[in-house]
């Protein structure tokens, strides 16, 4: 992953007009956004009001000692890389500057080329530092093994929409779908098919973080924002700069935080908690939910303005039971996946087994299918997955689908029908607990399972 700091910001703090202006021009040409100050106080104000990456800091300023300026700057933002400029070779001062947290120093008069190199090095160090921070949040598999499987027209429509959306650089996207339908996979696909693919993809689960911490996690905080905030910290929006942020379970985001998110979506700026500087980022937001947001809007648990903003681009992933054509391709895909991972040599699911997989309602969608195939692959001893390798809840559900006994005319029922109806009643009464059901019925568990399998085929 190669990352650039987008339009790096350089703050030149220097009271010599000629040097300040020359340096400004040089670094403007190099593609920096340049700010300059001739007093220490102004420099600190700049840092409070803007995001600064690197500062060239003259130690001898008219109003303050450069080291004090450095200290104050770092109180605001300790990620600023400071290159200290000393008037003459004064090793002691240079050393105390490094001790005070400067990145490096340079003596006056200096060669311009030497300074440019030093600034490049500082930028590279800063890039590496933020890369390390980002890696802590990044999904492990990045964009390498991405595969979305599905042949149904419903799923094809999803992948087509994803391709189109990925090409738009900034549009935020709302992904809707039941649990396990592949919302995270699709969010990752949008990122990986876009020009942002070499930049971070950062995932944040809004329901996993307590409301009072979510804002700081998303937007970072400045030093002193809380009693124990001894240093400022970047939030995920800053870390994701240039990339994509995936806000999972957006329906669970605290309603008080929602206006701040709306503001980022609208003008890409925000402030850290306890901060007064506007921070601008270039991030695409992909949000996901398995809740029905319109209902939450009605209950005033989700803001309507945020909902309308997100609704502009919705990707709806239908549940697996509404796209049965995808079941077998997914089964094949996960069989191959398990062969690779567990060194198994499974070739297929038996015809009887396939039938059952197609009949099942898949409440846990693709995730459930993936887990069931993984389990079956472990249990299977031959190259075929058989019904006995499938979990009971699946077998039972299918059995329950078989038309029940003819209740209107019990006298017309066969013994088999009566037996089946009785068995299903018992199973229902113990909420599907097969051990308990077999005890009540007075037959062995295995025997009961065989019967259930027969009902389901
Ligand atoms: N079409 C697909 N092709 C291949 N794998 C898929 C597909 N859809 C989902 N998966 C896999 O199924 C699992 C569940 O998907 P994912 O985590 O994206 O679902 P989700 O909708 O985010 O679920 P939840 O609502 O529970 O968070 C993952 O392992 C994912 O890779
Ligand atoms: Mg998910």
């Amino acid at each position: 992953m190669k990352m650039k700091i987008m339009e790096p910001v350089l703050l030149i703090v220097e009271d010599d007009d000629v040097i300040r202006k020359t340096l400004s021009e040089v670094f403007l040409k190099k593609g920096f956004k340049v700010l300059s100050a001739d007093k220490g106080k102004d420099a600190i104000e700049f840092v409070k009001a803007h995001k600064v990456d690197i500062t060239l800091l003259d130690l001898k300023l008219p109003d303050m000692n450069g080291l004090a300026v450095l200290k104050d700057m770092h109180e605001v933002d300790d990620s600023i890389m400071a290159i200290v400029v000393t008037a003459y070779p004064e090793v002691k001062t240079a050393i105390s500057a490094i001790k005070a947290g400067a990145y490096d120093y340079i003596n006056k008069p200096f060669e311009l080329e030497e300074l440019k190199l030093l600034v490049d090095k500082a930028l590279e160090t800063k890039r590496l530092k933020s890369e390390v921070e980002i890696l802590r949040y990044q999904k492990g598999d990045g964009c390498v093994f991405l595969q979305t499987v599905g042949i149904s027209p419903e799923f094809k429509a999803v992948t087509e929409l994803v391709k189109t959306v990925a090409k738009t650089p900034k549009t935020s996207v709302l992904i809707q779908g039941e649990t396990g339908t592949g919302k995270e996979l699709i969010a990752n696909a949008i990122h990986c098919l876009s020009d942002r693919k070499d930049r971070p993809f950062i995932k944040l689960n809004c329901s996993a973080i307590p409301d009072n911490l979510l804002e700081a996690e998303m937007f970072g905080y400045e030093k002193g924002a809380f009693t124990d905030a001894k240093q400022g910290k970047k939030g995920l929006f800053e870390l994701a700069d240039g990339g994509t942020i995936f806000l999972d379970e957006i329906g669970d985001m605290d309603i008080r935080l929602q206006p701040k998110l709306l503001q980022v979506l609208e003008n890409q700026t925000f402030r850290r908690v306890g901060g007064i500087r506007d921070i601008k980022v270039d991030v695409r937001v992909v949000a996901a939910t398995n809740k029905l947001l319109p209902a939450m809007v009605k209950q005033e648990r989700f803001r309507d303005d945020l909902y309308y903003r997100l609704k502009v681009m919705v990707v709806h992933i239908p549940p697996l039971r509404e796209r049965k054509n995808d079941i077998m391709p997914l089964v094949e895909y996960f069989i191959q996946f398990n062969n690779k991972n567990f060194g198994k040599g499974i070739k297929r699911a038996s015809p009887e087994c396939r039938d059952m997989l197609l009949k099942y309602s898949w409440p846990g969608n693709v995730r459930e299918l993936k887990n069931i195939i993984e389990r079956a692959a472990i249990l299977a001893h031959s190259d075929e997955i058989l019904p006995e390798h499938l979990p009971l809840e699946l077998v039972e559900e299918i059995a329950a689908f078989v038309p029940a006994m003819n209740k209107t005319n019990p006298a017309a029922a066969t013994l088999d029908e009566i037996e089946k109806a009785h068995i299903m009643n018992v199973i229902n009464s113990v909420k599907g607990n097969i051990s308990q059901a077999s005890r009540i019925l007075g037959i062995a568990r295995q025997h009961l399972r065989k019967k259930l399998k027969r009902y389901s085929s």
Side-chain angles (χ1 to χ4, degrees):
M1 177 178 51
K2 183 80 182 158
M3 298 192 309
K4 282 195 318 234
I5 291 177
M6 323 213 116
E7 201 188 34
V9 181
L10 177 73
L11 170 61
I12 302 173
V13 194
E14 167 66 66
D15 59 330
D16 182 320
D17 287 348
V18 179
I19 298 184
R20 198 179 59 246
K21 282 183 186 142
T22 314
L23 290 180
S24 293
E25 275 167 29
V26 168
F27 285 100
L28 263 176
K29 268 201 204 122
K30 256 178 85 70
F32 282 79
K33 181 173 173 192
V34 178
L35 305 167
S36 60
D38 58 359
K39 290 196 197 67
K41 270 217 161 84
D42 295 348
I44 295 161
E45 288 310 310
F46 266 138
V47 167
K48 284 185 184 158
H50 304 271
K51 177 96 184 65
V52 170
D53 294 303
I54 300 182
T55 180
L56 292 179
L57 176 61
D58 192 2
L59 278 189
K60 290 230 160 60
L61 294 165
D63 61 332
M64 282 174 83
N65 173 311
L67 289 186
V69 177
L70 177 62
K71 191 166 161 276
D72 285 0
M73 280 184 178
H74 274 174
E75 297 228 319
V76 180
D77 181 353
D78 69 342
S79 74
I80 297 174
M81 308 292 278
I83 296 172
V84 160
V85 185
T86 53
Y88 36 83
E90 214 186 63
V91 178
K92 251 194 194 160
T93 333
I95 290 176
S96 42
I98 301 282
K99 275 195 180 151
Y103 167 68
D104 211 336
Y105 65 92
I106 191 165
N107 294 319
K108 267 193 212 166
F110 48 76
E111 295 283 331
L112 211 46
E113 284 311 309
E114 191 190 352
L115 180 65
K116 280 188 193 167
L117 274 180
L118 205 53
V119 169
D120 282 345
K121 232 178 71 194
L123 205 57
E124 176 69 7
T125 308
K126 180 151 185 163
R127 182 181 73 75
L128 287 174
K129 273 189 178 171
S130 57
E131 224 165 69
V132 170
E133 280 184 75
I134 286 164
L135 286 175
R136 293 202 337 251
Y137 288 96
Q138 192 123 24
K139 242 179 91 93
D141 51 4
C143 291
V144 189
F145 301 115
L146 185 86
Q147 200 169 346
T148 48
V149 178
I151 55 161
S152 67
E154 292 84 356
F155 191 72
K156 286 233 168 95
V158 169
T159 48
E160 281 308 309
L161 186 55
V162 163
K163 277 189 216 150
T164 313
V165 172
K167 295 283 168 283
T168 69
K170 285 211 168 94
T171 316
S172 40
V173 183
L174 178 65
I175 304 176
Q176 281 174 338
E178 287 180 9
T179 179
T181 44
K183 296 185 291 297
E184 184 167 346
L185 184 78
I186 290 298
N188 197 236
I190 292 172
H191 174 72
C192 294
L193 293 171
S194 78
D195 285 343
R196 298 171 178 270
K197 64 178 184 302
D198 296 325
R199 306 279 308 160
F201 174 77
I202 289 183
K203 179 191 160 178
L204 178 66
N205 186 335
C206 300
S207 72
I209 296 175
D211 287 345
N212 56 340
L213 299 183
L214 190 59
E215 182 178 6
E217 189 70 17
M218 286 172 73
F219 302 108
Y221 53 82
E222 301 285 7
K223 180 187 153 77
F226 331 107
T227 37
D228 55 349
K230 298 209 166 39
Q231 283 185 334
K233 188 175 178 291
K234 278 186 194 169
L236 297 183
F237 268 91
E238 271 175 84
L239 292 175
D241 199 12
T244 306
I245 194 158
F246 175 45
L247 298 177
D248 205 358
E249 309 208 18
I250 186 101
D252 289 336
M253 177 181 281
D254 188 358
I255 193 148
R256 286 166 299 177
L257 192 52
Q258 292 175 12
K260 194 159 176 176
L261 175 61
L262 181 62
Q263 200 204 321
V264 188
L265 294 180
E266 283 187 340
N267 53 28
Q268 307 263 306
T269 59
F270 62 89
R271 290 175 181 186
R272 289 181 179 179
V273 175
I276 52 163
R277 10 172 226 163
D278 285 326
I279 297 180
K280 197 163 176 64
V281 286
D282 169 26
V283 173
R284 186 211 297 268
V285 173
V286 178
T289 179
N290 53 21
K291 301 220 163 98
L292 294 171
L293 292 185
M296 294 187 70
V297 169
K298 267 202 193 127
Q299 297 161 3
E300 298 188 356
R301 283 161 58 207
F302 202 86
R303 286 184 63 110
D304 54 356
D305 47 6
L306 178 58
Y307 174 62
Y308 291 123
R309 187 73 180 68
L310 289 171
K311 208 176 82 132
V312 174
M313 185 53 75
V314 174
V315 176
H316 172 74
I317 315 178
L320 202 48
R321 64 181 173 281
E322 287 174 16
R323 46 184 173 107
K324 294 213 167 215
N325 286 346
D326 292 337
I327 294 177
M328 283 325 291
L330 282 164
V331 168
E332 303 296 333
Y333 172 69
F334 289 124
I335 285 179
Q336 293 312 324
F337 180 86
N338 284 297
N339 283 348
K340 246 190 256 158
N341 283 297
F342 300 108
K344 284 273 185 175
I346 309 267
K347 293 213 177 83
R348 68 188 84 76
S350 75
E352 195 190 349
C353 189
R354 255 191 247 190
D355 230 41
M356 295 168 78
L357 293 170
L358 287 170
K359 274 186 192 150
Y360 186 50
S361 69
W362 300 107
N365 294 295
V366 185
R367 179 179 299 108
E368 185 182 18
L369 186 143
K370 184 181 179 198
N371 292 341
I372 284 181
I373 297 300
E374 180 182 323
R375 177 178 177 275
I378 293 170
L379 295 178
H381 295 299
S382 68
D383 61 3
E384 218 174 39
I385 295 178
L386 304 170
E388 66 206 61
H389 303 132
L390 299 178
L392 273 179
E393 68 264 22
L394 187 149
V395 177
E396 280 165 30
E397 189 203 271
I398 295 165
F401 274 145
V402 181
M405 177 179 66
N406 185 345
K407 285 195 184 104
T408 46
N409 184 7
T414 65
L415 260 183
D416 259 2
E417 280 172 335
I418 290 174
E419 178 188 273
K420 186 187 160 215
H422 181 57
I423 288 178
M424 295 320 294
N425 275 340
V426 171
I427 289 179
N428 282 337
S429 73
V430 295
K431 301 208 166 56
N433 184 329
I434 292 297
S435 309
Q436 212 179 330
S438 56
R439 246 176 280 130
I440 296 172
L441 292 164
I443 56 174
R445 241 178 83 111
Q446 297 304 359
H447 191 175
L448 177 56
R449 289 187 69 174
K450 265 198 205 122
K451 283 187 186 292
L452 288 174
K453 240 172 267 161
R454 187 157 52 80
Y455 298 152
S456 67
S457 55

